Amino acid sequence: MPPITTPANESNSNGNELSEDDIYGVLSNRRRRFVIHALKRKQGPVDISELSAHITAWETGKDPDEVEYEDHRSVYSTLKRTHLPNLEENNIVTIDKEENVVRPTPQLESLDIYVEAVSSKEIPWSLYYVGLAGVALTLLLAVTVEAPIFGALKPLEVGIFTVTAFGISSVVHHIIGLRTRLGNREKPPELYQ
């Protein structure tokens, strides 16, 4: 989630930065996440019909060129009635009803949104780092008290191991973070899970 500079309970009535509550409210719906992803990829105005075709393609697993009008008619309707007005209310997009296009606002451009979807077989990064710190601390304690097998290691070697493990982990975390950022890949990140 991006760093938020406004208090968590402050509303967005003044059109400034979104509060955490506003961001969570917007991101709570998959179609709105898909709209944000599509607009970040296009970086400009998008025809609402084209937008609904892309969202339908993502939801059905089809290629956007294979989506027929009948397939994306209900998505188009819910975008116009519900999701786009919600995004406009939160100053994330503007809707041009005459041209039937939606445009990202500077507010959307400034948001960096990461989607970390964790299945029941995976652990979140935060828990991974806690575990890695626990392993490093246990190893350092074993070396300090000269436990069997570990007594031959020096604290400097444990330090090098720890720095290397955290360094490699953070590089991998950064690369995965780039892949899970809305707007960075062809499809929304949650479709790669």
Side-chain angles (χ1 to χ4, degrees):
M1 192 58 62
I4 307 297
T5 57
T6 58
N9 294 324
E10 184 179 316
S11 77
N12 189 30
S13 60
N14 59 8
N16 291 333
E17 290 190 36
L18 290 170
S19 70
E20 282 186 44
D21 290 342
D22 293 332
I23 291 172
Y24 287 125
V26 166
L27 296 177
S28 68
N29 184 276
R30 185 178 195 193
R31 283 194 178 156
R32 287 194 292 267
R33 290 191 304 271
F34 285 179
V35 168
I36 290 169
H37 181 79
L39 290 172
K40 283 187 147 300
R41 295 234 357 116
K42 291 287 186 177
Q43 298 179 344
V46 178
D47 181 80
I48 297 173
S49 183
E50 177 188 341
L51 183 62
S52 67
H54 275 289
I55 291 171
T56 303
W58 291 332
E59 289 179 349
T60 61
K62 295 181 180 178
D63 188 77
D65 297 331
E66 297 173 0
V67 175
E68 300 291 329
Y69 172 75
E70 289 300 316
D71 297 331
H72 71 91
R73 184 174 52 173
S74 69
V75 173
Y76 177 87
S77 178
T78 59
L79 286 180
K80 286 199 69 148
R81 277 181 305 151
T82 307
H83 303 301
L84 293 177
N86 178 287
L87 293 171
E88 187 173 47
E89 180 181 303
N90 283 291
N91 195 30
I92 293 173
V93 302
T94 58
I95 304 167
D96 186 334
K97 293 181 174 121
E98 289 179 22
E99 294 182 25
N100 203 41
V101 296
V102 60
R103 290 181 173 83
T105 65
Q107 176 104 334
L108 174 64
E109 299 300 326
S110 69
L111 283 178
D112 266 336
I113 302 167
Y114 298 85
V115 179
E116 183 180 356
V118 180
S119 73
S120 61
K121 298 174 187 168
E122 299 174 319
I123 61 169
W125 280 105
S126 58
L127 190 57
Y128 169 82
Y129 284 115
V130 167
L132 188 57
V135 167
L137 181 62
T138 303
L139 185 58
L140 184 59
L141 287 172
V143 168
T144 303
V145 298
E146 297 181 1
I149 301 173
F150 299 104
L153 295 174
K154 294 182 172 87
L156 179 62
E157 294 170 332
V158 174
I160 291 171
F161 164 78
T162 302
V163 168
T164 303
F166 273 97
I168 291 171
S169 296
S170 58
V171 168
V172 170
H173 188 177
H174 177 72
I175 291 168
I176 290 172
L178 290 175
R179 292 182 185 162
T180 59
R181 183 181 296 166
L182 287 180
N184 271 12
R185 296 174 81 185
E186 185 63 34
K187 295 179 189 175
E190 59 198 272
L191 296 180
Y192 290 101
Q193 302 299 324

